[in-house]
């Protein structure tokens, strides 16, 4: 059996077991990870490389930073301030999505979500609304916000380098022409319709996020120091490039500072790390690596685009590439999806004598629509345990959001990025 066939069978196994949900998500991920090594598709170093991925290191660090904010009662305090202004659940959803969407346009969307997750859990605790109703809009807004600027998401930079390879380029706010309308329509959608699809369940209180705790005995200095360190971590993330320190290392510095100063004990810090998330994310990265390395991902893309024939309509081509990226990004990283589709998109557009801008923009926007699975993007994975989510919860709330993004994109892409300009 070829490596491509084995990889596609593991992909099918992962999809079926994720949807069936009789096997825990993290266990499915590890079966795939180990299975890809045993069948010889991946070297063990490649398969397990996901566990030292920068996002996994960032998860661990930010679980500790978030845990300290919660453990000291500071998250509840901030929650009380926010709920003072936003009274209803829908107002809270809108407020959270606006803040996260704007922040993730200029910060890593994973970093933005990581910093705000404990704050939103605090808001849920104070408002009495289920945290599962607030955490999903948070991570969706983080994904949408990535399309506001050139630096909003790694995929944006991949498309830019593809454009530069053929002597063209996108401006800093070019993605915002489609990204801002998607964010606005997405927020309006969740305010009026989408909130009905959000799951209402009890999040897991395993580890640190136990809402029934009494914080009255916590010294004030611990509360304020937890907030100061969180804010300094945020500032460090904003100036990541100027400092020359990676996001995950900045997160580790914040976590270490909290432990050294005694704001959080080593025991509580370890309790705050959600191992389910680490196994789920680290394990499924091996599947993404196999799709990329064996060429299985490329084969899927070429087969689908090949069905369009020799002279496809530019609009049909843009739609198919957009939908292909939407599907693939929910099982591969959006960076890998964009990296795979950009060269394919450029060669097809050039073969038609068309401007590749629309195709590449479709790759980037479609590649950010990772709303339908818990492994679609790191932020989705981070809230699985805290929100008590299942695979189907993401599909139920995420698929309609993908449809919203598709409609907005298909209207705006031909307007802003015509195939045959002037």
């Amino acid at each position: 059996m070829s490596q491509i066939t084995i990889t596609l069978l593991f992909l099918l196994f992962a999809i079926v077991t994720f949807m069936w949900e009789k096997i825990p998500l993290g266990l499915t991920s590890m079966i795939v990870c180990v299975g890809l090594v045993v069948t010889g598709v991946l070297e063990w170093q490649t398969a397990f490389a996901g566990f030292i991925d920068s996002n996994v290191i960032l998860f661990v660090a930010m679980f500790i930073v978030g845990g300290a904010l919660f453990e000291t009662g500071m998250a509840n305090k901030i929650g009380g301030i926010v709920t003072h202004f936003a009274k209803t659940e829908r107002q809270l959803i809108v407020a959270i999505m606006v803040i996260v969407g704007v922040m993730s346009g200029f910060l890593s969307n994973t970093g933005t979500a990581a910093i705000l997750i404990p704050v939103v859990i605090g808001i849920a605790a104070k408002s009495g609304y289920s945290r599962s109703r607030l955490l999903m809009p948070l991570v969706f807004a983080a994904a949408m916000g990535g399309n506001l600027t050139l630096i909003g998401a790694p995929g944006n930079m991949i498309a830019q380098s593809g454009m530069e390879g053929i002597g063209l380029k996108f401006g800093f706010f070019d993605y915002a022409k489609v990204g801002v309308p998607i964010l606005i329509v997405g927020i309006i959608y969740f305010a009026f319709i989408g909130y009905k699809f959000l799951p209402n369940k009890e999040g897991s209180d395993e580890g640190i996020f136990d809402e029934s705790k009494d914080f009255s005995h916590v010294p004030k200095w611990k509360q304020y120091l937890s907030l100061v360190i969180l804010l300094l971590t945020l500032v460090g993330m904003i100036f990541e490039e100027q400092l020359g320190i990676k996001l995950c290392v900045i997160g580790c510095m914040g976590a270490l500072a909290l432990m050294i100063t005694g704001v959080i004990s080593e025991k509580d810090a370890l309790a705050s790390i959600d191992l389910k998330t680490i196994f789920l994310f680290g394990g499924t990265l091996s599947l993404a690596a196999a799709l990329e390395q064996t060429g299985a991902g490329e084969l899927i893309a070429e087969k689908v685009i090949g069905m369009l024939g020799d002279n496809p309509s530019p609009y049909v081509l843009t739609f198919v590439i957009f939908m292909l990226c939407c599907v693939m990004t929910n099982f591969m990283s959006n960076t890998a999806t964009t990296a795979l589709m950009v060269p394919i998109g450029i060669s097809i557009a050039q073969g038609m004598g068309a401007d590749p801008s629309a195709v590449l923009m479709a790759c980037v926007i479609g590649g950010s629509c990772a709303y339908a699975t818990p492994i679609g993007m790191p932020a989705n994975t981070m809230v699985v345990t805290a929100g008590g989510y299942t695979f189907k919860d993401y599909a139920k709330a995420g698929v309609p959001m993908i449809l919203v993004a598709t409609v907005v994109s298909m209207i705006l892409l031909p307007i802003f990025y015509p195939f045959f300009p002037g």
Side-chain angles (χ1 to χ4, degrees), residues 32 39 93 96 98 122 125 176 234 239 281-282 360 392:
V32 171
T39 52
I93 289 171
I96 289 165
V98 169
L234 173 61
F239 295 105
F281 191 75
L360 294 202
K392 287 174 192 158

Side-chain angles (χ1 to χ4, degrees), residues 288-310:
L291 283 167
E292 215 174 326
Q293 209 168 291
T294 61
E298 201 170 338
L299 181 76
I300 294 167
E302 284 172 354
K303 289 279 185 210
V304 172
I305 290 168
M307 290 176 192
L308 298 176
D310 293 336

